[in-house]
Amino acid sequence: MAEYVAVSREAHAGKSWCRFEKYDFAKNRTVVPLVASELSRASVALPIGFIKHEDRFVPVAIVSLDGVSNALVAPDGRWIGRYVPAELRGYPFTLAPNSEGQHVLCFDQSSGLLRDDLSGEPFFEETGDVAKPTHNVMSFLKAVEKDRSSTAIICEELEQAGLIVPWDITLKTKGGDQKLRGLHKIDENAFNALSEEAFLALRKASIIPVVYCQLISMQHLSTLGRLT
């Protein structure tokens, strides 16, 4: 269980962190949220769908079909997929809202990557300023979070256009057919039936690439099935 603590001088001055080498922290993930800017890269490697989170649709990389374990994390912790979602690349850091609703940098104290000395990457310089390696991670996560906000708007537009529909996937197992529920996809028929006005509105909002990325990515579902 992750134990995220806000990075502060009080808690982390004189301490350091190490970069992760294995993806064991993601081995129980079944989906991983994506942002719009990475969909083109993710679509050539991973099946992409949508899930409903807090009454909003979120694009996700589907990394498991058994609902239990991440098929792209090998037993030795290696990532065996061709693309790693941005959300995983920031580990052991994340951004989380504080009591004022502001996003602050947090560190997973249970990651095993915290050092009580300066043998790793320092959190802070001797001057008290945030050290460059930590600042770089924070900048990366802030860029992803900003993209997440624009991605939410895109998903809202897709939903309002009636283009997101349930995607019930049937799995062939030894115990018979099983349905994987909770995922959604683009309704290709509805997309093709859009009026010229509706299509141009989506194109003007740079939403059309998201549609194509999701549709193209569905071909990778069979590959994931062979790994599961």
Side-chain angles (χ1 to χ4, degrees):
M1 179 71 70
E3 182 187 344
Y4 283 103
V5 173
V7 174
S8 67
R9 293 178 182 83
E10 292 76 17
H12 298 97
K15 297 182 180 180
S16 61
W17 54 277
C18 298
R19 301 180 187 275
F20 71 89
E21 296 180 349
K22 297 182 178 181
Y23 287 86
D24 289 327
F25 65 90
K27 65 182 179 181
N28 295 322
R29 302 288 293 268
T30 57
V31 296
V32 180
L34 298 169
V35 291
S37 64
E38 64 179 328
L39 291 182
S40 60
R41 286 165 290 164
S43 67
V44 299
L46 301 164
I48 298 171
F50 300 90
I51 62 170
K52 205 79 178 274
H53 177 67
E54 296 180 351
D55 296 325
R56 290 186 175 186
F57 282 110
V58 177
V60 294
I62 304 167
V63 295
S64 173
L65 292 180
D66 63 9
V68 178
S69 60
N70 188 336
L72 299 182
V73 177
D76 61 3
R78 287 179 301 114
W79 184 268
I80 58 176
R82 289 185 293 152
Y83 179 76
V84 181
E87 175 157 310
L88 302 182
R89 284 183 266 137
Y91 190 80
F93 293 92
T94 191
L95 290 182
N98 60 15
S99 57
E100 285 85 38
Q102 299 174 325
H103 282 90
V104 297
L105 186 67
C106 297
F107 183 87
D108 183 4
Q109 304 281 101
S110 68
S111 64
L113 300 173
L114 179 65
R115 299 292 178 266
D116 289 326
D117 53 30
L118 297 177
S119 59
E121 305 283 5
F123 286 93
F124 296 94
E125 303 286 1
E126 291 182 1
T127 59
D129 295 328
V130 176
K132 185 176 180 179
T134 305
H135 183 271
N136 289 344
V137 174
M138 183 165 57
S139 296
F140 168 73
L141 292 175
K142 284 184 176 180
V144 173
E145 188 60 35
K146 182 179 180 181
D147 199 354
R148 204 181 307 282
S149 297
S150 59
T151 303
I153 296 173
I154 290 174
C155 290
E156 185 176 347
E157 294 286 343
L158 288 171
E159 183 179 14
Q160 290 179 354
L163 296 182
I164 300 181
V165 296
W167 183 11
D168 289 337
I169 301 171
T170 301
L171 305 178
K172 300 291 185 180
T173 69
K174 294 179 179 180
D177 290 352
Q178 292 186 4
K179 288 189 176 294
L180 185 65
R181 303 184 186 278
L183 291 169
H184 294 73
K185 64 177 181 177
I186 295 295
D187 186 333
E188 188 172 4
N189 291 330
F191 174 67
N192 290 332
L194 285 174
S195 67
E196 182 177 358
E197 180 182 6
F199 179 86
L200 290 176
L202 292 179
R203 190 178 72 176
K204 186 176 180 180
S206 301
I207 294 175
I208 298 300
V210 174
V211 172
Y212 289 136
C213 283
Q214 195 281 318
L215 292 174
I216 291 171
S217 77
M218 293 169 66
Q219 65 183 305
H220 303 301
L221 203 61
S222 58
T223 301
L224 186 64
R226 289 194 292 271
L227 294 172
T228 300

